[in-house]
């Protein structure tokens, strides 16, 4: 892939990832958090399901695989996104995006404990640097807000879902998995909204525009662009650019919502971004890289 095209697509997809926190916070003026998240992913999941059915992507023929997609959706969509939208009630979009995107750091920790994966020393250095960034970001807080806990929990859920996809996702078409995990997660969020909150959604031009942005641009388009880039470049090196997502979360929170850029947020965000870069810098084994280069030749 041409370098300019690669950079443009990386900036687009990470911008959509990061700015969704700001757009989501805007949406809370018109909807309860879990209901907004549920509507977002039910709509995105339905549109993606129509796509995978229409293009006859291979669907699972086993109930066990469908249950696995449901479990992944429970963590990736319901867990991650539910916690993000709940966090946005009491903390800034900047803080929520920084906390959520610590998930690559937790993947290293949980992968070592649960899957016995061996990581390189510089990746562990990235984990320590990232955790230091979290401490810096939150260290100046005078009170522990519930949103901070939800922000951290969203990262934990994302890390768990990453490991589940690593273990189960190889036998499932990526487009099919994305479509149905979003749909299942959206339905779980809708159920949680009915049980855990007083759901409301004010229908007007602003709320519908926000919902469409979150469902189409920040879900479907962001996913499609991200996987397009992953399939045409080195996944390990491409994933290293995930540090741009919290950067755009902070930038759009400041420019759109007027959120203050405290020195602790800037310093902590830089440490976390650097840690994510180190963790994802070279995840592909040397043997796999050599094999791929030979096959391309």
């Amino acid at each position: 892939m041409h370098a300019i095209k690669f950079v443009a697509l990386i900036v687009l997809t990470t911008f959509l990832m990061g700015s969704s926190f700001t757009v989501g916070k805007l949406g809370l003026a018109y909807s309860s958090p879990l209901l907004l998240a549920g509507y977002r992913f039910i709509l995105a999941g339905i549109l993606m399901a129509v796509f995978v059915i229409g293009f006859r992507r291979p669907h699972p023929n086993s109930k066990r695989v469908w249950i696995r997609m449901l479990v992944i959706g429970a963590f990736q969509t319901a867990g991650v996104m539910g916690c993000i939208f709940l966090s946005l009630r009491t903390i800034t979009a900047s803080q929520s995006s920084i906390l959520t995107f610590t998930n690559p750091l937790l993947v290293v920790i949980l992968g070592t404990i649960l899957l016995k994966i061996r990581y390189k020393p510089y990746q562990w250095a990235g984990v320590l640097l990232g955790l230091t960034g979290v401490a810096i970001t939150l260290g100046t807080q005078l009170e522990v807000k519930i949103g901070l806990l939800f922000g951290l929990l969203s990262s934990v859920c994302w890390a768990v879902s990453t490991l589940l996809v690593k273990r189960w996702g190889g036998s499932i078409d990526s487009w099919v998995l994305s479509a149905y995990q979003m749909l299942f997660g959206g339905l779980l969020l809708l159920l949680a909204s009915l049980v855990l909150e007083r759901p409301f959604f004010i229908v007007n031009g602003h709320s519908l525009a926000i919902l469409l942005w979150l469902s189409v641009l920040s879900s479907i388009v962001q996913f499609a662009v991200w996987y397009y880039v992953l399939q045409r470049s080195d996944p390990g090196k491409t994933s290293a650019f995930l540090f741009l997502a919290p950067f755009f979360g902070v930038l759009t929170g400041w420019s759109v919502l007027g959120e203050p850029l405290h020195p602790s947020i800037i310093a902590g965000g830089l440490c976390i971004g650097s840690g994510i870069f180190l963790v994802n810098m070279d995840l592909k084994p040397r043997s796999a890289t050599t094999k791929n280069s030979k096959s391309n030749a």
Side-chain angles (χ1 to χ4, degrees):
M1 183 186 301
H2 194 277
I4 295 178
K5 182 179 180 181
F6 174 81
V7 171
L9 293 178
I10 283 292
V11 169
L12 173 62
T13 188
T14 53
F15 171 78
L16 291 174
M17 288 181 191
S19 64
S20 66
F21 291 84
T22 298
V23 178
K25 194 163 182 79
L26 290 172
L28 294 184
Y30 307 100
S31 176
S32 54
L34 294 178
L35 185 63
L36 179 59
Y39 281 165
R40 169 186 177 179
F41 287 103
I42 288 174
L43 177 58
I46 290 174
L47 293 175
M48 282 290 292
V50 170
F51 169 82
V52 297
I53 293 172
F55 283 86
R56 298 184 178 181
R57 305 294 299 186
H59 282 57
N61 52 15
S62 157
K63 183 185 296 186
R64 182 179 184 182
V65 177
W66 283 99
I67 292 175
R68 287 179 174 179
M69 290 197 295
L70 173 62
V71 173
I72 291 172
F75 282 99
Q76 179 62 52
T77 294
V80 174
M81 298 302 167
C83 288
I84 287 174
F85 277 81
L86 288 172
S87 74
L88 290 172
R89 295 184 305 174
T90 56
I91 64 175
T92 66
S94 302
Q95 291 170 319
S96 182
S97 62
I98 288 174
L99 292 174
T100 298
F101 280 98
T102 59
N103 72 88
L105 312 177
L106 296 180
V107 167
V108 173
I109 297 173
L110 295 179
T112 300
I113 297 173
L114 301 178
L115 301 182
K116 310 302 181 184
I117 300 174
R118 294 184 178 181
Y119 293 94
K120 298 177 181 178
Y122 63 79
Q123 291 175 306
W124 280 107
V127 171
L128 294 176
L129 183 59
L131 294 179
T132 301
V134 173
I136 293 173
T137 302
L138 305 182
T140 58
Q141 296 292 321
L142 298 178
E143 57 180 337
V144 178
K145 297 179 180 178
I146 189 65
L148 299 176
L149 300 179
F150 279 122
L152 289 171
L153 187 57
S154 69
S155 180
V156 173
C157 289
W158 198 338
V160 171
S161 71
T162 299
L163 295 176
L164 290 177
V165 171
K166 186 184 293 288
R167 170 163 286 192
W168 295 339
S171 61
I172 310 173
D173 180 87
S174 61
W175 295 98
V176 171
L177 174 60
S178 176
Y180 291 106
Q181 71 89 9
M182 284 196 294
L183 181 57
F184 291 151
L187 292 172
L188 290 174
L189 284 166
L190 183 60
L191 178 61
S193 173
L194 296 174
V195 174
L196 301 176
E197 65 182 9
R198 293 181 179 179
F200 72 91
F201 187 89
I202 300 172
V203 179
N204 58 36
H206 288 131
S207 64
L208 293 178
I210 289 170
L211 180 59
L212 286 175
W213 180 286
L214 292 172
S215 300
V216 178
L217 292 177
S218 291
S219 297
I220 296 175
V221 173
Q222 175 257 301
F223 166 83
V225 173
W226 179 249
Y227 271 85
Y228 176 85
V229 175
L230 282 179
Q231 291 169 357
R232 288 162 177 79
S233 60
D234 184 295
K237 293 180 180 179
T238 301
S239 297
F241 288 94
L242 278 174
F243 75 92
L244 288 173
F247 166 76
F248 284 121
V250 172
L251 184 63
T252 55
W254 167 72
S255 60
V256 177
L257 301 176
E259 296 176 350
L261 291 178
H262 296 297
S264 61
I265 293 179
I266 297 174
L270 289 174
C271 287
I272 291 171
S274 301
I276 292 172
F277 185 86
L278 287 173
V279 164
N280 289 290
M281 192 164 58
D282 186 17
L283 291 178
K284 183 181 289 186
R286 185 181 301 273
S287 59
T289 305
T290 304
K291 181 179 179 181
N292 289 337
S293 62
K294 289 181 179 180
S295 62
N296 292 333

